[in-house]
């Protein structure tokens, strides 16, 4: 594992964007695994700037996102599809037909999960997976459980996750209680993992995840078994 500590969110975002840009330059038709939440916003801003400056081309890139809230479609401004369009896809020259987010409105979320895993396989797997981390150690929406779940699957969100994500909604009661998330198999089969975390409040969980025991009670701890993980952490 390559654990990089930086001082500011700007530095974190720049380093993360440079790693993703390097991936695209090395393999222009790569598959990016992408995340939402507040942490990657700065990374997406810098990737957008590289595109605008003419040094990065997304035209042959494919992307697969980690997760989506149940019941929110892409037109809903709280959906993760909407987030991705707004923060990245609408700002660069990626072909939207090659951007995938699990469908939180599918009538059968279990089947949607299976189809999503097949899709990732058909795409040849993920070249680099960008991850954030929740305060409870979740990656994607893989919440603390007694076991690691391999497949993309529906989940009940942890009360702490609902509380943390309430900041994006008018109030906590509006936060969907369920979601669909990529499971550990597709995440762990990504060729490279890039996890970014900022703020002093995440220090403890990041330490637990990468230096504590591997346990489904700290879902991100599974990443200790991945051969190519970069963690970028900033306290601010
Ligand atoms: C979102 C996702 C989540 C977030 C995590 C941290 O697609 O996969 O695991 O990465 O909840 O969110 P922020 O960055 O808002 O602290």
């Amino acid at each position: 594992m390559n654990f990089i500590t930086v001082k500011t969110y700007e530095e974190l975002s720049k380093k993360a964007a440079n790693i993703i840009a390097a991936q695209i330059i090395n393999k222009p038709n790569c598959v990016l695994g992408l995340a939402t939440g507040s942490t990657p916003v700065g990374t997406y801003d810098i990737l957008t700037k590289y595109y605008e400056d003419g040094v990065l081309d997304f035209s042959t890139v494919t992307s697969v996102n980690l997760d989506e809230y149940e019941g929110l479609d892409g037109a809903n401004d709280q959906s993760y599809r909407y987030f991705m369009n707004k923060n990245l896809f609408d700002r660069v020259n990626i072909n939207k037909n090659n951007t995938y987010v699990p469908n939180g409105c599918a009538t059968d979320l279990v089947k949607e999960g299976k189809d999503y895993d097949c899709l990732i396989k058909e795409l040849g797997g993920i070249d680099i997976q960008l991850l954030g981390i929740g305060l409870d150690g979740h990656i994607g929406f893989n919440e603390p459980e007694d076991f690691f779940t391999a497949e993309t699957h529906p989940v009940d969100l942890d009360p702490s996750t609902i509380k943390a994500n309430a900041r994006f909604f008018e109030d906590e009661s509006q936060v969907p209680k369920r979601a669909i998330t990529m499971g550990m198999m597709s995440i762990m089969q990504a060729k490279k993992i890039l996890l970014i975390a900022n703020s002093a409040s995440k220090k403890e969980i990041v330490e637990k995840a990468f230096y504590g025991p591997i346990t489904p009670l700290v879902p991100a701890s599974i990443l200790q078994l991945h051969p190519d993980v970069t963690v970028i952490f900033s306290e601010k």
Side-chain angles (χ1 to χ4, degrees):
M1 181 195 18
N2 184 13
F3 197 107
I4 304 168
T5 305
V6 294
K7 289 210 167 66
T8 64
Y9 177 67
E10 288 67 34
E11 274 178 86
L12 172 151
S13 301
K14 184 130 204 224
K15 278 201 190 301
N18 284 342
I19 291 170
I20 295 170
Q23 171 67 64
I24 297 172
I25 288 163
N26 285 345
K27 186 179 173 192
N29 64 344
C30 64
V31 177
L32 301 180
L34 298 176
T36 63
S38 50
T39 317
V41 171
T43 305
Y44 295 151
D45 284 345
I46 294 170
L47 288 172
T48 301
K49 185 171 182 310
Y50 289 161
Y51 163 70
E52 286 167 353
D53 290 349
V55 293
L56 198 57
D57 177 15
F58 287 80
S59 61
T60 52
V61 168
T62 296
S63 71
V64 287
N65 260 79
L66 284 166
D67 42 17
E68 180 59 281
Y69 286 118
E70 182 183 40
L72 300 193
D73 67 23
N76 187 310
D77 61 6
Q78 297 293 356
S79 71
Y80 284 170
R81 159 57 75 181
Y82 189 97
F83 172 101
M84 288 309 303
N85 288 347
K86 180 170 152 234
N87 286 288
L88 188 67
F89 302 153
D90 284 340
R91 303 164 79 195
V92 298
N93 66 335
I94 197 164
N95 178 347
K96 280 256 195 80
N97 294 327
N98 295 334
T99 66
Y100 299 95
V101 179
N103 178 8
C105 291
T107 40
D108 183 345
L109 287 182
V110 173
K111 180 174 181 304
E112 169 65 16
K114 284 191 189 351
D115 292 348
Y116 203 69
D117 286 333
C118 285
L119 166 81
I120 294 171
K121 272 207 188 90
E122 277 162 23
L123 292 171
I126 297 165
D127 288 295
I128 186 164
Q129 177 64 56
L130 178 64
L131 296 172
I133 183 169
L135 286 171
D136 62 357
H138 69 233
I139 49 175
F141 273 138
N142 292 279
E143 297 283 24
E145 287 273 8
D146 293 337
F147 46 85
F148 291 113
T149 302
E151 295 84 21
T152 298
H153 59 289
V155 278
D156 291 328
L157 297 179
D158 195 89
S160 70
T161 302
I162 292 172
K163 203 168 179 182
N165 288 3
R167 67 190 194 278
F168 301 115
F169 291 78
E170 267 173 33
D171 62 70
E172 202 176 312
S173 68
Q174 313 252 314
V175 185
K177 308 285 176 286
R178 273 164 53 89
I180 176 167
T181 183
M182 206 186 271
M184 295 308 192
M185 179 181 68
S186 294
I187 294 174
M188 290 299 284
Q189 286 176 0
K191 294 181 189 79
K192 292 180 194 308
I193 302 271
L194 171 59
L195 184 141
I196 53 177
N198 79 296
S199 87
S201 63
K202 294 234 173 119
K203 193 170 185 198
E204 195 183 327
I205 192 64
V206 168
E207 277 169 6
K208 259 196 194 164
F210 292 100
Y211 299 106
I214 298 170
T215 162
L217 295 173
V218 181
S221 64
I222 197 172
L223 299 172
Q224 292 180 42
L225 297 175
H226 193 283
D228 191 343
V229 179
T230 300
V231 180
I232 312 177
F233 177 73
S234 74
E235 280 204 30
K236 282 187 214 148

